[in-house]
Amino acid sequence: MSFLLTSCSTYPVEVTSADQLAGVWEDFAGRTVEFKGDGTFTATGMDEADVGEECSGVAATQQGALSLSGTYADVTFDGVDCEGMMLAFYGSPSSFVVCFTRDVTAGGCTGELSRKDDVTATGRHE
């Protein structure tokens, strides 16, 4: 499954606190990730195809933690050997998307997640 990139999603955005991410984020297929202010997250519906085939076991875990590094965060999944996974932030400071990736220098997201409040009933980002 592929997703269209939003027009601004190729620009990196700096995220300086887990509170900026706190809340439920969703992709067009209805998979969700709830980021908490303490730097942890819980996903629903995610599997290896969503974060990379090298991360076997993600579907069973669906939770982990992140460590912010400006325009991306290093990601660990509880009990899963998945080195080098990151969460990238793209868009504008007031409205950005996130995506799991191994290459934050590629620019832009595929499989992007946006704040659940930002997805309309038609599945489009506003």
Side-chain angles (χ1 to χ4, degrees):
M1 178 175 283
S2 62
F3 300 104
L4 296 175
L5 299 177
T6 59
S7 60
C8 63
S9 66
T10 57
Y11 299 103
V13 172
E14 187 167 345
V15 174
T16 57
S17 81
D19 288 335
Q20 286 177 269
L21 292 173
V24 177
W25 295 68
E26 182 177 44
D27 71 6
F28 293 122
R31 290 178 286 265
T32 62
V33 179
E34 181 179 3
F35 295 103
K36 299 173 181 90
D38 65 359
T40 62
F41 64 88
T42 303
T44 303
M46 299 288 266
D47 63 22
E48 289 81 4
D50 300 312
V51 298
E53 296 296 327
E54 303 87 7
C55 299
S56 63
V58 168
T61 299
Q62 301 280 320
Q63 60 189 10
L66 50 94
S67 174
L68 295 173
S69 294
T71 58
Y72 68 93
D74 292 308
V75 174
T76 56
F77 290 94
D78 293 351
V80 177
D81 183 14
C82 187
E83 290 186 36
M85 182 55 59
M86 293 172 274
L87 186 70
F89 315 117
Y90 295 102
S92 70
S94 62
S95 178
F96 59 95
V97 297
V98 301
C99 63
F100 290 98
T101 184
R102 289 191 181 281
D103 185 4
V104 295
T105 62
C109 285
T110 58
E112 66 188 33
L113 298 151
S114 62
R115 286 191 193 277
K116 193 167 182 176
D117 302 28
D118 293 345
V119 178
T120 68
T122 62
R124 295 178 157 224
H125 297 284
E126 295 208 321

